[in-house]
Amino acid sequence: MSSGITVDDQCKLAYQELKVTHEFKFVLFKIADDNKSIIVDTTSLGPFVDLESVSPAEKEAALAARKAAKEKLVGKKETDIYELFVKQLPEQECRYAVYDFAYEKDGSSRNKILFYAWSPDTAKIKNKMVYASSKDSLRKTLVGIAQDVQATDYEEVSHEAALDKVLRTAR
């Protein structure tokens, strides 16, 4: 089922920065207030700015903000960064997210990109329905996702739950 909601180009750009350059650890997406498109909500480094479409002064400010945010993440454990991600998920609203999940298996470090469909039990029914019917349009746009995570409460998005899901399918 499709809702007719489109995926904003900024979603693809933010995802590419997570996937290819590892600029972000996570990106959250939401349906815009006008219910016409899926947009970037936030990233692990704060608001998303398309660096190619802003003035030189705005680009410089955005790069400085990213650098400051990155410095706050330096030295943090994967579980701490994951906890920051979980705290970004609103208690009463749905969201989509991608997370560059780092883990170890057989003594080697690995990464998998996880796609989250966050639909908390406390969200309004209409909100849940719109997100459920729009998920595929975003999901198909984001090429290279290793696994999907459907979650309705914070326990289902815990680091332990994600790690368990990743390890069950890791080769």
Side-chain angles (χ1 to χ4, degrees):
M1 180 167 78
S2 175
S3 64
I5 293 176
T6 62
V7 178
D8 188 88
D9 288 340
Q10 300 244 323
C11 296
K12 298 171 204 165
L13 293 171
Y15 176 68
Q16 286 303 314
E17 288 195 47
L18 175 138
K19 179 182 170 190
V20 178
T21 66
H22 302 282
E23 179 72 9
F24 305 122
K25 196 65 179 144
F26 62 83
V27 180
L28 269 70
F29 307 95
K30 69 178 186 176
I31 295 176
D33 293 339
D34 64 4
N35 281 340
K36 292 185 179 180
S37 63
I38 298 170
I39 60 173
V40 176
D41 184 18
T42 192
T43 74
S44 55
L45 301 180
F48 178 72
V49 176
D50 177 6
L51 299 175
E52 302 305 316
S53 68
V54 295
S55 71
E58 291 170 315
K59 182 176 182 175
E60 189 176 320
L63 287 171
R66 282 186 183 185
K67 182 179 179 185
K70 273 185 188 178
E71 288 172 0
K72 289 181 182 177
L73 297 179
V74 170
K76 288 197 183 273
K77 296 186 294 186
E78 172 70 18
T79 52
D80 294 336
I81 296 171
Y82 192 86
E83 192 60 37
L84 292 172
F85 160 68
V86 171
K87 287 179 181 177
Q88 295 290 320
L89 298 170
E91 288 183 30
Q92 298 187 9
E93 292 178 33
C94 300
R95 288 292 186 272
Y96 308 114
V98 287
Y99 190 95
D100 188 3
F101 193 84
Y103 65 102
E104 287 198 16
K105 181 170 169 91
D106 301 327
S108 66
S109 296
R110 301 177 185 197
N111 285 60
K112 280 195 178 182
I113 298 175
L114 306 180
F115 177 86
Y116 290 82
W118 171 247
S119 184
D121 291 330
T122 54
K124 294 180 179 175
I125 299 292
K126 182 178 179 181
N127 189 247
K128 291 182 190 184
M129 290 174 59
V130 171
Y131 271 80
S133 64
S134 304
K135 178 184 138 193
D136 283 345
S137 60
L138 177 62
R139 180 63 180 82
K140 288 176 184 173
T141 301
L142 308 178
V143 177
I145 301 286
Q147 285 190 287
D148 289 33
V149 177
Q150 296 267 151
T152 59
D153 64 42
Y154 290 107
E155 189 173 303
E156 292 175 329
V157 292
S158 70
H159 187 269
E160 296 79 22
L163 180 61
D164 182 56
K165 185 168 187 122
V166 165
L167 290 176
R168 277 189 274 135
T169 61
R171 295 180 205 162

